[in-house]
Every structure is written in C-alpha cells, then in structure tokens.
Amino acid sequence: SGVYLGPLRLLALEVFDKLNQDAACCNLLTGEERIDVPGATLTASTIELCDFHKEYDVAVIDEAQMMADSSRGSHWTDAICRVRAKEVRICAAPTAEDIILSILDRFGADVEVRHHDRLVPLVFKGFCNGLPAVKPGDALIAFSRKKVLSIAAQVEQYGMKASVIYGALPPASRREEVRRFVNGDTQIVVATDAIGMGISIPIKRVVFTEVSKFDGVEMRPLNREEIKQIAGRAGRFGLYDEGEVVSMTKEARIEQGLKKESLPIRKLRLPFPREALDSDYAMEELLREWQRLDDDALIQREDLSEALQLYRALKPDLHDEPKVVVYELITTPVDAKNPVLVQYWCACCRRILQGLNPRKPSMSADALEECE
C-alpha cells in the first residue's frame, strides 16, 4: 500500500496514469476530482489531501522544497511530520536538504540521503527572436491561461501546431494535449510554470516568453528557484544530448538565475495545531489568535486568513457541529477572493452538514473559465 503526495493535480494525474498503465492499481485524489479504481491499494494525491489516519507501506512526498512556499509550505511540513508510513521517500531540491534533515533528526529517524545528478546537461543559449524563431520540440513558457492560449494561436499562424498545458486544464484535456505532442501531432508545447514540477514531456528547448509572474498577490520577477525549476524541463535522456534554454526578453535575468547558487531554505512553515480544536475555545477565536501570532527568524505560521474568511461566510449555517468537521470544510482549497466560488462552496458545505451529497455547480457552457 502506498501514497504519492505532490504539489499539482497534473503531477498526481501523471503518477495515477503511469501506475495504472503498469498494472499497479492506483486511485486519484485531488481538489478537482476523485477516481476510485477497484482493488487499488495505492493513491496519487495532491499534498493538501493527505490522509493522516491511514497507514501505508510507502509514502512518497514530492517536490518537498515547496515547504518554503508562503501559502502552501505548511502542508509539506505536516506530511513529513505526520504521514503514517513504514517508509517515507522525500524528493526535494538540494536547497531543502538541511531543513528536512533537521526535522527528521528531532524524531531520531533512520535516514538515508541519496543525491541525483542531471543526466542531460542544461545549456543557456541566449536570446530567442520572437515566435518566428520557435522550433519543433520547444516549450514556450508564459504565466497566465490567457497568454498561453494567445501564444498557441499565434504559433499556428507560423505553420506549427501547439499543445497547451496549464493548471486549470481538465485532466482528460491535459492527457490529450500531452499525447498529441509525444506522438508528433503537435510540434510545440505552450505552458505555464505548471510544467516545471516534473511533468514528463520530451522537450528539447525551454523558451521563456516573459520573466515576471503574478503570484496571487503581486506581479514580480521570477526567482532563481523558479527559473531553474522551469528550465530543468529541457532535455530528455536518451533523446537529446543537452537541454537548451533561451528567453524572448531580459535574457540576462534567466542566465543569472541559472548560474546563481540557490540559497538553502532556512525558514519552517508551521501548520496549525489541530490539537487546539479539542479545546473549549470557539473556532473563530482560535483562528484569530493563530493569525495574530508573530513569526520569527526560523518559523512562519500557516496563513489561515482565507480559512477565517470562509468560516465567517459559513457561520450562519453552523450550529453545534464538531470543530474538527468545520475545520476540514474551511481549509478546503478554495479561492476565497472569488465570491461565486465561495457561494457555491457554502452550498456544498450546507449539503455535507445535512449528510447529503453536494450538487454540481450551474455554469454557462460557452465560458471557458466556468467550464474549467
């Protein structure tokens, strides 16, 4: 029995597909969908949905350097500390090695460290002079769905077909886009940085079409870890001798990002202590006081500001439900800034608290974002 825990539904889906193709029955569990395969003892999951009550023979925690992420990092800390498995395999960038070992040392865990080198060298090739200079085997990187779809349409004007990959793409569509590229039906991939997290596609060259992204709070330049993560998709062992990286803008920033040594992670993201839910304090008071706690040089607490927003939205529908049940609902991955989504989430929660299944959302079939 085993569980795979990764940062993206695209990665969980890739593991799900591969294991089932290899006749190892595997379930899929992400924020968007759940597929139960008869007889499966394995699960591929996004990290937020880790089940800490189940016991496994093996747990794989992937992309553990994400524990430095300000909004999601606490889920990796949580999984490393709490997943119940006889053997835990933690896959991470070298920047996370010291802090992970410091956590495991506190447990007195029996630890083996293995270092892996790139099998294909990564080479920066400088400036790419716009879309006419794009070649078959390229992956063009942009940082919004709108930009990805726009670039894909423009590429086709130059006589090449493109596959598109971005985080909100439904799983069946994503499978088809990858299949088309692998089989040669399309010559180019146009993708967001979702492609950076280990998604396995035979890419010869990574082309940055922009070097800044909106991170949910502000528009900012890519940091060196993001540049390395995305650029690392270039090259495929046994297919290409080297992986090439170019940029359509500010190529010096990409070159510096690739060359600069990455700094080790020094700050631990601390998850909310669920034991606090057993206390007599009210849920809102617990969440409010947690948010007021000061961070220090080594520890940053999990940000529950969105959970507090969701709690206040759901509060009129709450009666005497156990705090642990309410906490599970309000920490569902929901964009609290989207009022339509919050309204639908509240409707789902009301049904769940009544012991009923949530209803499917109403949507307009001619609006792409609503369909997704």
Side-chain angles (χ1 to χ4, degrees):
S1 64
V3 63
Y4 168 86
L5 302 165
L8 299 171
R9 66 172 178 173
L10 295 182
L11 267 181
L13 180 65
E14 186 169 290
V15 172
F16 167 80
D17 282 342
K18 184 162 181 20
L19 286 172
N20 283 302
Q21 284 165 13
D22 292 345
C25 294
C26 180
N27 300 319
L28 179 68
L29 181 61
T30 75
E32 282 75 17
E33 67 175 340
R34 174 179 184 145
I35 300 175
D36 291 317
V37 175
T41 58
L42 308 175
T43 299
S45 172
T46 40
I47 194 135
E48 280 87 351
L49 295 172
C50 178
D51 187 339
F52 295 113
H53 303 293
K54 279 190 180 178
E55 292 188 12
Y56 305 98
D57 291 318
V58 178
V60 176
I61 302 172
D62 202 3
E63 304 289 354
Q65 73 279 356
M66 287 283 290
M67 67 192 307
D69 185 80
S70 57
S71 59
R72 300 177 66 204
S74 59
H75 294 287
W76 275 266
T77 309
D78 220 6
I80 289 168
C81 293
R82 296 177 63 222
V83 70
R84 301 177 70 181
K86 295 172 188 172
E87 180 179 321
V88 181
R89 299 214 171 200
I90 304 169
C91 310
T95 53
E97 182 178 342
D98 289 347
I99 199 164
I100 291 171
L101 288 174
S102 73
I103 295 170
L104 299 178
D105 184 54
R106 292 185 179 224
F107 298 151
D110 181 17
V111 179
E112 179 184 339
V113 180
R114 298 180 187 176
H115 295 108
H116 301 274
D117 295 320
R118 271 190 69 92
L119 296 172
V120 176
L122 199 60
V123 182
F124 182 70
K125 296 278 188 172
F127 183 69
C128 177
N129 192 19
L131 294 180
V134 168
K135 304 173 186 176
D138 282 354
L140 279 64
I141 308 301
F143 296 100
S144 70
R145 173 207 286 108
K146 187 175 180 181
K147 191 79 182 280
V148 164
L149 295 173
S150 171
I151 290 171
Q154 292 175 62
V155 163
E156 299 208 354
Q157 292 176 2
Y158 293 103
M160 284 186 284
K161 293 184 177 177
S163 289
V164 296
I165 297 174
Y166 51 90
L169 198 66
S173 305
R174 179 257 174 189
R175 280 193 201 96
E176 178 61 13
E177 292 299 287
V178 171
R179 185 201 65 77
R180 291 171 67 220
F181 181 71
V182 171
N183 290 351
D185 299 334
T186 60
Q187 295 78 47
I188 305 291
V189 173
V190 188
T192 63
D193 49 345
I195 204 174
M197 292 289 179
I199 294 169
S200 182
I201 310 175
I203 296 163
K204 183 176 184 181
R205 188 173 72 156
V206 164
V207 182
F208 287 87
T209 67
E210 49 190 347
V211 294
S212 297
K213 64 177 282 188
F214 182 71
D215 62 6
V217 179
E218 60 180 354
M219 184 65 76
R220 59 164 177 80
L222 297 175
N223 62 45
R224 69 186 81 169
E225 284 75 25
E226 289 166 333
I227 290 170
K228 287 179 179 177
Q229 186 94 42
I230 296 164
R233 294 303 101 212
R236 181 71 170 264
F237 183 65
L239 194 60
Y240 303 119
D241 295 330
E242 62 183 19
E244 300 176 20
V245 183
V246 296
S247 181
M248 290 186 181
T249 178
K250 298 181 180 176
E251 64 272 18
R253 183 177 293 169
I254 299 299
E255 184 176 20
Q256 288 168 9
L258 289 172
K259 285 181 176 177
K260 275 187 179 177
E261 196 74 21
S262 293
L263 299 173
I265 296 167
R266 296 294 184 208
K267 208 163 198 178
L268 192 65
R269 311 287 169 178
L270 196 69
F272 177 79
R274 288 166 179 76
E275 295 82 358
L277 299 173
D278 297 331
S279 71
D280 294 329
Y281 291 99
M283 173 69 84
E284 187 165 359
E285 191 174 0
L286 287 171
L287 296 176
R288 202 170 54 237
E289 291 304 319
W290 174 257
Q291 288 299 107
R292 284 178 183 164
L293 289 176
D294 290 330
D295 295 330
D296 63 26
L298 296 176
I299 290 176
Q300 183 176 40
R301 54 169 172 67
E302 177 182 10
D303 182 8
L304 290 180
S305 56
E306 289 208 341
L308 191 53
Q309 280 181 258
L310 293 175
Y311 175 77
R312 287 167 178 161
L314 187 62
K315 194 174 180 180
D317 298 299
L318 296 175
H319 301 291
D320 294 318
E321 289 83 7
K323 287 200 287 284
V324 66
V325 172
V326 176
Y327 181 80
E328 289 295 324
L329 293 173
I330 64 174
T331 53
T332 306
V334 175
D335 181 2
K337 296 185 289 295
N338 184 330
V340 175
L341 200 56
V342 171
Q343 191 177 9
Y344 173 61
W345 170 83
C346 282
C348 289
C349 290
R350 282 194 291 271
R351 300 272 298 177
I352 290 166
L353 293 171
Q354 293 165 13
L356 304 170
N357 286 329
R359 292 194 177 98
K360 290 184 178 180
S362 58
M363 57 138 194
S364 165
D366 59 356
L368 177 62
E369 283 191 49
E370 285 193 42
C371 290
E372 288 170 352

